[in-house]
Amino acid sequence: MINIIFLAPPAAGKGTQSDFLKQRYNIPHISTGELLREETKKGSEIGQKINEIMISGKLVSDDIVINLVKNRLSMPDTKEGYILDGFPRNINQAIALDKMLEELGKPINYVFYLTIDKDLALKRTCGRATCTNCGQIYNLKFPETMPSKPMTCDECGSPLFVRQDDNEETFLKRFDTYISETEPVSTYYKNKKLLFYVNSGINKDITFNQIISAIDVPEIK
Ligand code: AMP
């Protein structure tokens, strides 16, 4: 089993790295941001509330997110492993996760903490665009990650969209929320000796190589 968690400030690249890992190890990428965005698309009253909280840059209530994660981790495709992107985001969620993983028999193996400079994260956030169909992520502020045709996916030709919370104002609030609520979770995992720091401010392939070199260490017998 390869059971992975990503801890990172907004736009540090946890979505991109999770997708790389999903392809390499054939395990599901579980993004709580994505699960919540799916809820908002249902048009229900609760979906509307979730959307407002996401745009405010704050955290959605623990009960809602913990339930979503519990249901998702109970699915059979997590048998060989999972990649949790965006959960846990506070200590209460980390404790709830430990409890559910113990019950499910799927303990965490690696927690990757992606480090990035705040200004670079802001630049990445404000240029991010995602494919409406295949989820491929682009960045309109960096020539190397722009789509070849404006707002069109190179992979499948579908239109790209910009997330409602990917703007400077919401980014600054999300970053503050990260520092006050999520950063302390790193100490929680450091104490459990599960934490790996990875520099995510250079190049996504270098970041990926650092991650897989931690996972693919040959066992000493
Ligand atoms: P992300 O896609 O990970 O950047 O998350 C987008 C937004 O979804 C966050 O700013 C939060 O409002 C909400 N969110 C995602 N994951 C969680 C979580 N584990 N707990 C509470 N809110 C979350």
Side-chain angles (χ1 to χ4, degrees):
M1 271 200 285
I2 303 178
N3 303 336
I4 298 169
I5 287 181
F6 275 110
L7 281 185
K14 52 189 170 55
T16 302
Q17 295 301 328
S18 298
D19 277 341
F20 287 169
L21 289 174
K22 173 184 168 181
Q23 278 166 30
R24 183 177 178 93
Y25 299 109
N26 203 17
I27 50 177
H29 167 196
I30 303 171
S31 152
T32 43
E34 209 44 59
L35 292 174
L36 290 167
R37 278 186 283 280
E38 289 301 318
E39 287 298 310
T40 66
K41 284 184 206 150
K42 292 181 186 162
S44 60
E45 205 177 311
I46 180 84
Q48 176 70 30
K49 285 209 180 103
I50 291 174
N51 196 35
E52 282 164 21
I53 296 169
M54 288 171 85
I55 295 170
S56 78
K58 294 193 186 132
L59 294 183
V60 174
S61 86
D62 288 349
D63 289 353
I64 293 178
V65 189
I66 289 167
N67 259 325
L68 284 173
V69 172
K70 201 170 188 175
N71 288 338
R72 186 61 188 87
L73 283 174
S74 307
M75 293 184 185
D77 65 344
T78 61
K79 214 173 88 200
E80 301 301 329
Y82 54 81
I83 306 151
L84 268 182
D85 155 4
F87 186 91
R89 260 180 154 101
N90 60 28
I91 295 289
N92 188 37
Q93 293 182 9
I95 293 168
L97 179 64
D98 274 349
K99 192 165 167 266
M100 75 175 90
L101 292 178
E102 198 182 332
E103 282 165 15
L104 293 166
K106 297 173 179 171
I108 303 158
N109 306 123
Y110 309 93
V111 179
F112 292 108
Y113 186 116
L114 302 182
T115 61
I116 186 168
D117 180 74
K118 185 176 176 182
D119 291 339
L120 179 59
L122 171 63
K123 197 172 166 196
R124 281 190 186 168
T125 300
C126 295
R128 181 158 60 180
T130 311
C131 176
T132 44
N133 176 45
C134 69
Q136 179 71 28
I137 301 166
Y138 296 87
N139 199 298
L140 312 175
K141 297 228 165 167
F142 299 88
E144 66 279 13
T145 50
M146 273 182 201
S148 1
K149 278 198 229 152
M151 295 307 277
T152 307
C153 182
D154 289 347
E155 304 294 324
C156 70
S158 302
L160 307 184
F161 77 100
V162 173
R163 274 169 49 176
Q164 269 185 297
D165 57 350
D166 275 347
N167 58 70
E168 181 163 356
E169 192 189 343
T170 307
F171 169 84
L172 294 173
K173 290 190 193 135
R174 283 159 72 198
F175 201 89
D176 286 348
T177 304
Y178 179 79
I179 298 296
S180 59
E181 306 216 30
T182 312
E183 173 73 35
V185 178
S186 67
T187 312
Y188 181 84
Y189 289 121
K190 200 178 194 176
N191 291 339
K192 290 177 178 278
K193 306 214 178 331
L194 292 170
L195 193 71
F196 294 78
Y197 288 96
V198 181
N199 183 347
S200 193
I202 321 166
N203 164 300
K204 57 185 183 207
D205 297 322
I206 298 177
T207 304
F208 184 56
N209 279 329
Q210 286 179 35
I211 293 171
I212 58 174
S213 63
I215 300 173
D216 293 345
V217 177
E219 250 181 70
I220 301 165
K221 299 216 168 145

